[in-house]
């Protein structure tokens, strides 16, 4: 199996999964969102809502592998981690904080089995192996 079909499946999975909570949170009505004047500052902003620094880095690394920057902007440019961190403060999405934290811990646990201290410290190929294991339901 080549890497490309896996990447496409991951993108579709992530896009579908991300859309459901957003639709539920929005309640199918339009609302004004605050605009960041400096998008680089927003993207590089340290954790502060729900995620601690280690969780932020683990999620940042995972998102960068799932939605890489190519001809189109990736997760880093879209500030996906900042969005998720902010959404975890809402009542609708915040109920999943414990499960979300457990998932990030699992990524770091699998990274330690690969010989790194954290998922973010793994080389890209090893990060893909860990994400592939999770995708296949392996522990």
């Amino acid at each position: 199996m080549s890497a490309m079909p896996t990447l496409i499946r991951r993108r579709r999975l992530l896009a579908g999964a991300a859309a459901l909570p957003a639709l539920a949170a929005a309640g199918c009505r339009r609302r004004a969102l605050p605009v960041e004047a400096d998008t680089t500052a927003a993207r590089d902003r340290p954790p502060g809502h729900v995620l601690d620094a280690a969780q932020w880095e683990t999620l940042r690394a995972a998102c960068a592998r799932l939605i890489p920057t190519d001809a189109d902007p990736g997760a880093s440019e879209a500030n996906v981690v900042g969005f998720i961190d902010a959404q975890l403060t809402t009542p609708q999405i915040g109920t999943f904080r414990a499960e979300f934290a457990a998932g990030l811990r699992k990524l770091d646990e699998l990274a330690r089995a690969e010989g790194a201290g954290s998922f973010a410290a793994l080389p890209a190929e090893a990060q893909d192996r860990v994400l592939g294991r999770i995708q296949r339901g392996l522990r």
Side-chain angles (χ1 to χ4, degrees):
M1 178 191 316
S2 70
M4 185 54 87
T6 301
L7 178 63
I8 291 169
R9 282 196 306 266
R10 286 182 187 161
R11 281 182 181 234
R12 284 186 183 156
L13 172 67
L14 191 58
L20 293 175
L23 288 174
C28 297
R29 66 177 183 263
R30 190 178 176 106
R31 61 183 174 172
L33 298 175
V35 177
E36 290 272 350
D38 182 358
T39 58
T40 301
R43 182 178 59 242
D44 297 332
R45 177 177 61 232
H49 295 290
V50 173
L51 302 173
D52 64 28
Q55 291 170 324
W56 185 278
E57 284 305 306
T58 298
L59 183 58
R60 181 200 54 75
C63 289
R65 297 308 302 158
L66 294 170
I67 309 173
T69 301
D70 49 24
D72 297 315
S76 296
E77 293 81 9
N79 189 27
V80 169
V81 177
F83 176 79
I84 292 171
D85 187 41
Q87 289 302 301
L88 286 169
T89 66
T90 67
Q92 300 91 344
I93 308 302
T95 59
F96 298 103
R97 281 185 198 169
E99 292 89 348
F100 199 82
L104 294 174
R105 281 192 304 274
K106 186 63 175 181
L107 280 175
D108 284 335
E109 177 186 316
L110 292 171
R112 286 189 290 281
E114 291 274 337
S118 69
F119 181 81
L122 285 173
E125 313 81 54
Q127 288 177 344
D128 288 345
R129 278 194 305 273
V130 168
L131 291 170
R133 287 185 68 189
I134 290 174
Q135 181 181 14
R136 292 186 304 275
L138 304 176
R139 303 274 168 181

